[in-house]
Amino acid sequence: MAKGLGKGLSELLQAKEEEVREVSVKELRPNPYQPRKVFDSKAIGELKESIQEHGILQPILARKSIKGYEIVLGERRLRAAVEAGLKTVPVILKEYDEQKMMEVALIENLQREDLNPVEEGQAYQKLIEHLKVTQEELSVRVGKSRPHIANHIRLLQLPDPVLDLLSNGQISMGHGRALLGLKKKTKMQQVVRKTMEDGLNVRQLEKLIQDINRNVSRGTKKKPIENNVFLKEKESSLRDRLGTAVTIKKTKRKGKIEIEFFSQDDLERILEILEQ
């Protein structure tokens, strides 16, 4: 558990026996702040089998609403219980306002580390907006590094169709980060299609995006091969270290290094890395 949060979340789940009650599954509604949008059917099936054999070992956390109950934690357990044919489930009731309900749901799911990259980025963004904290302050509260948080939030700048592919695991977070470096956004769909059809790995996609950004075809490059290889290796190394698009441009006597950033927070993150 992250420092400063572990104790609080542990207390939420350590309820006395008399606080647990049986509630009809028909009275429970999903948490509107649930960060997980994609539920693994295989994992639900495995949990269903466990429930059929052992019952629900950990009660669902919920709060009373105007009509029935809203789940704070445990939507996956409820889904599995319904598939297992249960009519009621054990529930612990808590008195949470909207902000507390959202905070507990987001942080608990982040600490489980089973959200996809898009869900994780959305969870960080919601916490920053609702808690009114910086990325640095959030990193302390959730026990994640600032670059980790910044890289996930940056993914949300990708178009929705690309985010869908990322959510479904059809492309990786590395692919997503590489696509952020594409300067001609009108070519995004074309680049994504080629990535999918040709099965490009992250390095190959980075190479393709570099070529597009420089508007230079493979067959007309005039730079010496040795120089190209050296610069590409350095660009790749800097991209990995800084977590953003980096381009090295060299003429006969001079050159420049371009480092992309997408917000003030992103700029501060990159400067911190460079100052280390």
Side-chain angles (χ1 to χ4, degrees), residues 31 33-40 44 74-77 79 105-106 108-110 112-116 119-120 122-123 126:
N31 185 338
Y33 303 110
Q34 164 65 263
R36 185 184 294 106
K37 306 303 179 187
V38 180
F39 287 83
D40 187 335
I44 295 289
E75 183 175 344
R76 186 159 45 184
R77 268 166 280 161
R79 288 172 177 246
L106 293 178
E108 193 270 349
N109 275 280
L110 285 170
R112 285 179 181 270
E113 298 185 338
D114 60 354
L115 300 178
N116 66 52
E119 292 171 339
E120 190 169 345
Q122 291 170 336
K126 284 182 180 178

Side-chain angles (χ1 to χ4, degrees), residues 102 122-133 138:
M102 180 207 70
Q122 291 170 336
Y124 292 137
Q125 189 62 49
K126 284 182 180 178
L127 284 169
I128 287 172
E129 292 173 354
H130 285 265
L131 301 179
K132 296 182 175 19
V133 295
L138 183 62

Side-chain angles (χ1 to χ4, degrees), residues 209-256:
I209 290 173
Q210 283 176 16
D211 290 342
I212 293 174
N213 287 345
R214 292 169 180 166
N215 198 25
V216 178
S217 69
R218 290 187 179 89
T220 59
K221 289 183 180 179
K222 298 180 180 180
K223 296 180 181 179
I225 295 176
E226 295 80 9
N227 188 45
N228 279 341
V229 171
F230 174 77
L231 292 182
K232 287 173 184 175
E233 287 179 351
K234 293 304 178 184
E235 282 180 340
S236 180
S237 176
L238 285 170
R239 278 197 304 273
D240 288 342
R241 184 183 175 199
L242 301 178
T244 191
V246 177
T247 304
I248 300 176
K249 296 182 178 180
K250 185 176 181 299
T251 59
K252 187 174 181 180
R253 295 183 178 179
K254 60 182 182 178
K256 61 183 178 179

Side-chain angles (χ1 to χ4, degrees), residues 66-78:
I66 296 175
K67 185 178 180 181
Y69 304 89
E70 286 183 330
I71 297 171
V72 179
L73 300 175
E75 183 175 344
R76 186 159 45 184
R77 268 166 280 161
L78 177 64

